[in-house]
Amino acid sequence: MSRPAPTPAGRGAAFTRTGKALLLLMAWAAWSIAQAQKLDVPTMDYSYPKEYTIGGITVSGCVTRDPNAVKLFSGLKVGDKLTIPGERIGRAIHAIWDQKLFTDVRIEEAEVRGATIFLHIIVQENPQLASYGFAGTVSRSEADKLREKLNLQRGQQVNEAVKANTAQAVSRFFVDKGFLKATARIVENRDTSLENSVRLQILADKGPRVRIRDIHFTGNDNVHDRRLRRAMKNTKRKRWYNIFGSSKFKYADFKADEDKVIDTYNEKGFRNAQIVRDTTYFVSDRKINVDITVDEGQQFFFRDIRFTGNSKYSNDTLVRILGIHRGDIYNRRKLESRLYMNPSGADISSLYMDQGYLSFNPDPVERVEGDSIDLEIRIREGRQYRVRDITISGNTKTFDHVIRREIRTRPGDLFDRSEVIRSQQQLISLGFFDPAAVTVNPVPDPATGNVDLDYVVAEKPSDRLELSGGYGGGRVLGSLGLSFTNFSLRNMFTKKWTPLPAGDGQTLSLAYQTNGAYYQSLSASFVEPWLGGRKPNALSLGGYTTRQTNGVSRGDPAFQLLSISAASIGLGKRLRWPDDYFFLNITGSFQRYKLSNWHSLFSFSDGKSDVYAVQLRFFRRSIAEPFWITQGSETSVSVKATPPFSAFHPETQYQELPAAERYRLAEFHKWKFTSQWFTKLTRSKSKHDLVLMARVGYGFVGRYNGRKGDSPFERFYMGGSGLTGFQLDGREIIALRGYDDLSLSPTFGSFFVNKYTAELRFPVSLNPQATIFALGFAEAGNGWNSIDQYNPFRVYRSAGVGLRLFLPMFGPMGLDYGWRFDDVPGFPNMAKSQFHFTIGIDLGEL
């Protein structure tokens, strides 16, 4: 069967197919000719590489970059041999691209002259950052914090990586604050005022703040959910009682808290416990749940415990300090704390390091058999090190000898870790240095068995300008005080002022109080903590004078005057028994009260009364920190007494004498006992820990002679904040927050007093320039006038919250809000709750 003749339509179709093929062939040829000008598609056959010599290199496309720098980046130089095709061109392009300065890089053939080739490098620069800003739901304060975190600089290159990293950082910033749905994107706009520059607009949508509604555990058959949640210090559920904890979800904190969950299991003997899965999911627009699946594994117990390599101490001694016995539940945390650096010092490492074994190292090896663990502790004692040199660095104002006298380690002594820690605490207690910066760096020399100790300190402002105010006597009282806590008396008459004579650790205090024409007071004191410079024997000197009138001129018959002049001298000594935390102070004082037509305070209105007294105070103080105190205690017993003048004149009928003559020489004996303890309830890496402060105080003022009567001086007055203005008769004011000032004592004061205080404290800021902590308090107290009335359990009670602030230049300040629980006879209109504000004044010794 023959094929039919092609129709006109068929011939047209065949021509179309042929035309298309010719057009494609012509296009390919044109493209090949164009690409022949580029080196990656040269005119020569790729099957026959040819070597050329670079005759020249030109660069185009640079706006802000130096063309010579581009040539340098490429690694190509005039005169180099170059094979085309070859790898050299590719490496040059990659070398320029790796600078991350360009969005496009090409190398083309500019001209070929025989065996010489001229190259043309074409680049397109990344735009530069002209400015950037925030839009969306970003507040001004958040924008300021983001600028610090992003660190975008004007003039830097902007590429896709920079924009992606910026968007991710902004999102992570808000996610860490609990905005888990936060998103961010970058809008790039060209800046026409600058060549090749762009402006970035960061559009952030925080979304709602997301809290953790609940945390569920699965597989925890032996440890309750509550215990595991409590172990997660920074991942908390949203609950009303979760005052100090945050319920925001932060991934880094969450993973760290999972490690704490495992630590909890390890403490209970579950040595192989692990978290096999964790999941977070939204249960509402603003709440998520966290599910954690635990594989507890088997519970283990200690069995045999033995030491090897120990020659200094016997096995019995080491086992006693280790405190772990056969059959005890396996507890990894307890094991490590008894081996290494227990904060209380009751560990094997401290035992050795207190005897100079600086390189001591215990290596616990565990052997598991069934549910039992045999423990072999391999001791490497090393050699005993002795202190060689002691250096001090960082003290720009305090003289070396002030620091050295507080250091308990001496050249030639065996290295003693406990003494190094105690020295560090004593340097902190001076109050001259930033507690966080006081460190000790031991530099051992194994070849000689010596160790050099470098004590590093950082000065902080310690001098204070104390401003205080109060209300008393129906008038407002203002006070200005200057306290130079690192004073240098010997440099008073030299030119070593920075800007005051400082550096010897002495204290000079000056204060002035006034409420205008009615009251003025001036006081001064000086303390030398190391009299003679060899031993910690303190010398204190002080004096003050006060004057109060009724505002009437002296010549007026109605003129009233009360003036007090006083001076004191004291000596203090640090004791070595029962331990060297004990101190003994003895102070002699003199006060003269002068009254002229003064009817409102004492039992006499005209005359003089002199008070000669000696105070003996015996106390133990183990507190290092001056303001934010986390641990330690202070217990004190004191007695202040005048001579029993009446005993020298037994025949005198004092009850028949006028009051001015009866109290011409005052006599009394005053006893006080106080004790306060600080206990750290939590231990966080940030040092923001809950601290419990408990304080108790007792006081009693007695008399020698019943016929002479009770002394009008040194009585106790309780109630309020203690900030009640001037104190005219040597009275001791004791705060009890929630009640009116002085409302819990008779107008003539109390002779017996008890007070109990408990505070739960939490730091808000530990910055040395502004230390702040919040507190909740509960306290109780009362005063009595006779032993028959005395009942230490019949007290007025209160509770409340407060805030404490310490500024180096102004000293401590406080604000409390207290609720009273009891009514006070004679004060029917007293508020149920009230604020108490203090500046630079404590709440009373008790």
Side-chain angles (χ1 to χ4, degrees):
M1 184 174 180
S2 61
R3 297 177 59 187
T7 63
R11 289 194 298 270
F15 177 78
T16 301
R17 288 193 295 270
T18 304
K20 287 182 178 180
L22 289 173
L23 287 174
L24 288 173
L25 181 63
M26 293 173 62
W28 178 84
W31 178 84
S32 298
I33 294 171
Q35 293 300 312
Q37 303 301 317
K38 300 181 182 180
L39 291 183
D40 49 0
V41 188
T43 57
M44 73 287 296
D45 190 344
Y46 274 102
S47 301
Y48 301 97
K50 182 177 180 181
E51 186 178 76
Y52 294 90
T53 300
I54 299 178
I57 302 174
T58 57
V59 178
S60 64
C62 288
V63 179
T64 61
R65 300 296 169 185
D66 185 357
N68 291 324
V70 177
K71 296 178 185 178
L72 185 63
F73 296 152
S74 72
L76 301 174
K77 298 188 295 296
V78 174
D80 285 357
K81 299 296 185 181
L82 185 69
T83 299
I84 298 178
E87 299 178 354
R88 186 76 182 276
I89 293 296
R91 290 200 305 268
I93 291 175
H94 278 293
I96 300 173
W97 184 262
D98 287 343
Q99 305 305 312
K100 298 181 179 179
L101 301 175
F102 309 100
T103 57
D104 188 27
V105 179
R106 291 180 295 156
I107 300 179
E108 298 181 351
E109 167 198 330
E111 184 181 357
V112 177
R113 300 175 186 173
T116 302
I117 188 169
F118 295 86
L119 303 179
H120 184 203
I121 302 175
I122 304 172
V123 297
Q124 182 177 348
E125 287 189 11
N126 287 327
Q128 291 185 333
L129 179 63
S131 62
Y132 71 96
F134 297 92
T137 56
V138 182
S139 67
R140 179 175 296 180
S141 62
E142 290 170 337
D144 292 340
K145 294 177 181 178
L146 280 168
R147 291 181 190 278
E148 297 176 2
K149 186 177 289 290
L150 296 176
N151 197 28
L152 292 174
Q153 302 295 329
R154 177 184 173 91
Q156 78 174 76
Q157 299 290 320
V158 177
N159 53 32
E160 293 303 319
V162 169
K163 292 189 288 185
N165 292 338
T166 299
Q168 184 179 15
V170 172
S171 298
R172 175 57 57 186
F173 173 82
F174 289 111
V175 167
D176 287 345
K177 290 181 173 294
F179 300 94
L180 299 189
K181 295 184 176 181
T183 59
R185 62 187 181 91
I186 310 298
V187 177
E188 181 179 311
N189 299 307
R190 186 161 298 280
D191 190 326
T192 57
S193 63
L194 296 172
E195 188 175 8
N196 195 36
S197 296
V198 295
R199 290 179 286 107
L200 297 183
Q201 187 177 37
I202 303 173
L203 300 175
D205 181 9
K206 295 187 296 187
R209 187 186 295 273
V210 179
R211 304 285 185 179
I212 301 173
R213 189 183 73 174
D214 215 339
I215 302 174
H216 302 291
F217 289 91
T218 305
N220 55 317
D221 299 327
N222 294 281
V223 183
H224 200 279
D225 288 13
R226 287 194 301 271
R227 179 67 184 88
L228 297 179
R229 292 192 195 104
R230 194 162 60 246
M232 304 179 76
K233 302 299 183 183
N234 298 308
T235 307
K236 299 292 185 181
R237 302 182 297 171
K238 181 62 176 177
R239 293 294 185 270
W240 66 268
Y241 52 78
N242 186 20
I243 300 174
F244 298 108
S246 171
S247 60
K248 294 181 293 188
F249 181 85
K250 298 182 181 180
Y251 183 77
D253 289 343
F254 173 64
K255 301 309 288 186
D257 282 338
E258 285 190 329
D259 292 337
K260 292 184 176 67
V261 169
I262 298 302
D263 290 342
T264 300
Y265 271 103
N266 292 159
E267 293 172 15
K268 295 183 176 296
F270 296 92
R271 179 176 180 266
N272 300 325
Q274 59 181 333
I275 292 175
V276 295
R277 185 171 62 253
D278 58 58
T279 306
T280 60
Y281 54 92
F282 282 90
V283 294
S284 69
D285 190 47
R286 297 175 179 269
K287 297 286 179 64
I288 66 169
N289 276 358
V290 178
D291 290 351
I292 300 174
T293 303
V294 179
D295 180 7
E296 294 181 331
Q298 185 179 6
Q299 189 177 31
F300 291 87
F301 301 86
F302 286 111
R303 189 168 63 182
D304 295 332
I305 302 172
R306 66 191 186 96
F307 292 85
T308 60
N310 52 306
S311 60
K312 174 69 175 178
Y313 296 102
S314 66
N315 285 352
D316 291 341
T317 300
L318 297 180
V319 168
R320 178 175 52 82
I321 295 176
L322 186 65
I324 297 174
H325 306 286
R326 183 185 182 95
D328 287 355
I329 293 175
Y330 176 83
N331 188 330
R332 181 173 297 171
R333 181 176 180 181
K334 181 179 180 181
L335 173 62
E336 292 178 351
S337 69
R338 296 299 175 87
L339 289 177
Y340 317 101
M341 306 307 178
N342 191 329
S344 66
D347 61 272
I348 293 176
S349 292
S350 296
L351 179 69
Y352 273 91
M353 296 185 75
D354 287 351
Q355 296 297 320
Y357 292 92
L358 182 59
S359 59
F360 169 79
N361 181 44
D363 181 21
V365 178
E366 300 176 359
R367 187 172 64 88
V368 180
E369 184 177 336
D371 65 350
S372 300
I373 295 180
D374 294 331
L375 187 63
E376 179 186 349
I377 302 176
R378 299 171 182 175
I379 301 293
R380 188 175 67 84
E381 294 180 341
R383 66 186 303 174
Q384 285 181 300
Y385 282 79
R386 290 191 176 273
V387 178
R388 182 171 56 191
D389 293 328
I390 295 176
T391 57
I392 300 169
S393 57
N395 53 319
T396 56
K397 183 171 71 172
T398 307
F399 295 131
D400 279 3
H401 74 270
V402 174
I403 299 175
R404 288 188 183 277
R405 68 195 187 190
E406 300 295 340
I407 295 175
R408 302 169 64 85
T409 53
R410 297 288 183 268
D413 291 350
L414 284 173
F415 176 83
D416 190 326
R417 173 179 173 267
S418 297
E419 291 296 287
V420 171
I421 294 175
R422 178 72 184 279
S423 300
Q424 189 175 357
Q425 292 174 344
Q426 291 192 181
L427 291 177
I428 293 173
S429 66
L430 291 175
F432 308 153
F433 311 114
D434 179 3
V438 177
T439 58
V440 185
N441 298 324
V443 183
D445 183 359
T448 62
N450 293 321
V451 57
D452 298 331
L453 299 179
D454 181 26
Y455 286 82
V456 181
V457 299
E459 302 271 4
K460 71 171 186 177
S462 57
D463 298 332
R464 295 196 299 270
L465 170 66
E466 297 181 352
L467 298 174
S468 64
Y471 184 81
R475 299 179 180 87
V476 176
L477 178 73
S479 177
L480 172 65
L482 299 174
S483 181
F484 307 107
T485 58
N486 196 1
F487 192 70
S488 177
L489 185 63
R490 64 190 175 101
N491 286 334
M492 277 286 293
F493 306 103
T494 67
K495 296 182 180 180
K496 299 178 181 179
W497 288 38
T498 57
L500 295 169
D504 271 333
Q506 300 162 345
T507 301
L508 176 65
S509 299
L510 304 171
Y512 179 71
Q513 291 181 310
T514 184
N515 66 357
Y518 295 92
Y519 176 79
Q520 302 87 35
S521 175
L522 179 65
S523 63
S525 65
F526 174 80
V527 178
E528 166 56 77
W530 284 68
L531 184 62
R534 291 182 174 272
K535 295 182 179 181
N537 299 327
L539 170 68
S540 60
L541 302 171
Y544 70 89
T545 178
T546 65
R547 184 176 185 272
Q548 184 180 8
T549 70
N550 59 352
V552 177
S553 60
R554 179 177 290 272
D556 194 304
F559 174 74
Q560 295 180 321
L561 171 68
L562 168 63
S563 65
I564 308 172
S565 300
S568 65
I569 180 171
L571 292 173
K573 180 178 179 62
R574 182 186 296 162
L575 305 178
R576 296 186 177 181
W577 184 89
D579 61 35
D580 55 6
Y581 287 105
F582 280 85
F583 297 83
L584 179 65
N585 288 349
I586 182 169
T587 303
S589 62
F590 167 77
Q591 291 174 295
R592 168 163 290 180
Y593 296 84
K594 185 178 180 180
L595 289 77
S596 177
N597 198 27
W598 193 267
H599 299 278
S600 60
L601 189 62
F602 300 103
S603 55
F604 59 100
S605 58
D606 291 278
K608 298 178 181 179
S609 181
D610 294 337
V611 180
Y612 298 88
V614 175
Q615 182 177 18
L616 187 67
R617 182 168 180 251
F618 179 66
F619 65 101
R620 185 184 189 275
R621 178 182 173 87
S622 59
I623 297 173
E625 302 92 338
F627 181 68
W628 170 243
I629 304 171
T630 59
Q631 57 188 1
S633 64
E634 182 173 0
T635 301
S636 169
V637 178
S638 68
V639 57
K640 182 177 182 180
T642 64
F645 296 109
S646 60
F648 305 141
H649 305 281
E651 72 285 351
T652 304
Q653 299 298 317
Y654 288 100
Q655 67 273 23
E656 299 177 0
L657 295 177
E661 188 175 348
R662 184 191 315 167
Y663 297 119
R664 180 65 181 83
L665 292 173
E667 58 181 46
F668 60 86
H669 52 94
K670 183 177 184 180
W671 303 77
K672 289 192 295 184
F673 169 81
T674 60
S675 184
Q676 60 178 346
W677 297 77
F678 296 85
T679 304
K680 188 183 294 187
L681 301 181
T682 61
R683 295 187 181 275
S684 64
K685 293 182 179 180
S686 64
K687 297 185 178 180
H688 284 66
D689 297 307
L690 279 173
V691 175
L692 175 65
M693 187 280 290
R695 179 191 296 143
V696 62
Y698 303 92
F700 162 63
V701 178
R703 62 191 181 189
Y704 298 117
N705 191 329
R707 291 176 300 158
K708 189 169 184 177
D710 295 308
S711 169
F713 311 114
E714 298 288 341
R715 299 181 183 182
F716 300 105
Y717 292 78
M718 178 176 284
S721 65
L723 186 63
T724 58
F726 40 87
Q727 304 173 18
L728 298 175
D729 53 351
R731 64 179 62 185
E732 182 167 344
I733 298 177
I734 302 167
L736 192 66
R737 290 162 284 186
Y739 294 88
D740 290 350
D741 290 340
L742 310 185
S743 61
L744 304 182
S745 296
T747 56
F748 51 82
S750 301
F751 298 101
F752 297 84
V753 68
N754 275 19
K755 184 184 174 187
Y756 315 96
T757 303
E759 291 183 356
L760 190 63
R761 301 178 173 184
F762 184 80
V764 177
S765 168
L766 295 178
N767 187 333
Q769 303 303 319
T771 307
I772 307 172
F773 67 84
L775 61 89
F777 69 86
E779 58 186 2
N782 201 358
W784 301 268
N785 292 324
S786 70
I787 191 65
D788 297 331
Q789 300 174 340
Y790 178 74
N791 184 346
F793 303 106
R794 187 178 180 181
V795 292
Y796 294 98
R797 302 160 299 165
S798 68
V801 294
L803 197 68
R804 294 290 180 272
L805 166 66
F806 180 84
L807 299 175
M809 283 298 294
F810 297 96
M813 294 181 281
L815 179 65
D816 296 292
Y817 188 75
W819 291 267
R820 63 179 178 88
F821 298 153
D822 302 293
D823 294 329
V824 182
F827 292 87
N829 298 321
M830 185 187 300
K832 274 290 186 182
S833 60
Q834 56 184 291
F835 283 99
H836 300 284
F837 181 58
T838 58
I839 307 178
I841 294 180
D842 198 4
L843 299 182
E845 185 178 353
L846 299 185

